[in-house]
Amino acid sequence: QVHLVESGGGSVHAGESLRLSCTASGLTDEPYALAWFRQVPGKQREGIICIARVGTLVNDRFKGRFTISRDHPTNAVSLQMDNLTPEDTAMYYCAAGNPVQALLAPGYKHWGQGTQVTVSG
């Protein structure tokens, strides 16, 4: 069974930074992509950034603020979030799969439970 676990969420003030981590176990299919999404209640899940064989793909909304890195030996991926704003308040999810489009949620088969990020003004 594939298991993804996010960590690192919390409450911060606007302008501060936060680093989220995701650890994966049970992934046997290759190649696969690891990605970060976020979701607020009542809205669709939004793709942030993805790292795959070809490289890194970033949603234009987050270019320059959010970056991703992958730790191959431990199958861990991190999301560095800088200059946070209250609009970044959301549940953040790690996902794994082989999507046709890297930043669309339906293409991912495996998801973590999410980690909450709250940014106060």
Side-chain angles (χ1 to χ4, degrees), residues 1-3 24-32 70 75 96 98 110:
Q1 185 69 43
V2 175
H3 192 207
S25 61
L27 288 172
T28 58
D29 290 344
E30 292 187 17
Y32 61 88
R70 185 172 181 174
N75 285 325
N98 296 300
H110 311 293

Side-chain angles (χ1 to χ4, degrees), residues 33-109:
L34 293 172
W36 285 97
F37 290 76
R38 73 183 189 186
Q39 188 171 27
V40 300
K43 297 185 179 180
Q44 291 184 330
R45 194 160 296 187
E46 181 181 29
I48 301 169
I49 195 167
C50 172
I51 187 166
R53 286 183 64 190
V54 69
T56 301
L57 297 87
V58 189
N59 188 321
D60 287 342
R61 295 179 183 269
F62 308 104
K63 286 184 178 179
R65 286 204 305 130
F66 289 10
T67 56
I68 193 170
S69 62
R70 185 172 181 174
D71 185 355
H72 295 288
T74 60
N75 285 325
V77 65
S78 296
L79 178 68
Q80 178 67 39
M81 305 185 295
D82 296 321
N83 195 23
L84 289 165
T85 74
E87 292 184 351
D88 295 318
T89 296
M91 185 72 73
Y92 285 73
Y93 297 92
C94 180
N98 296 300
V100 175
Q101 292 199 1
L103 299 179
L104 295 181
Y108 290 84
K109 296 182 179 180

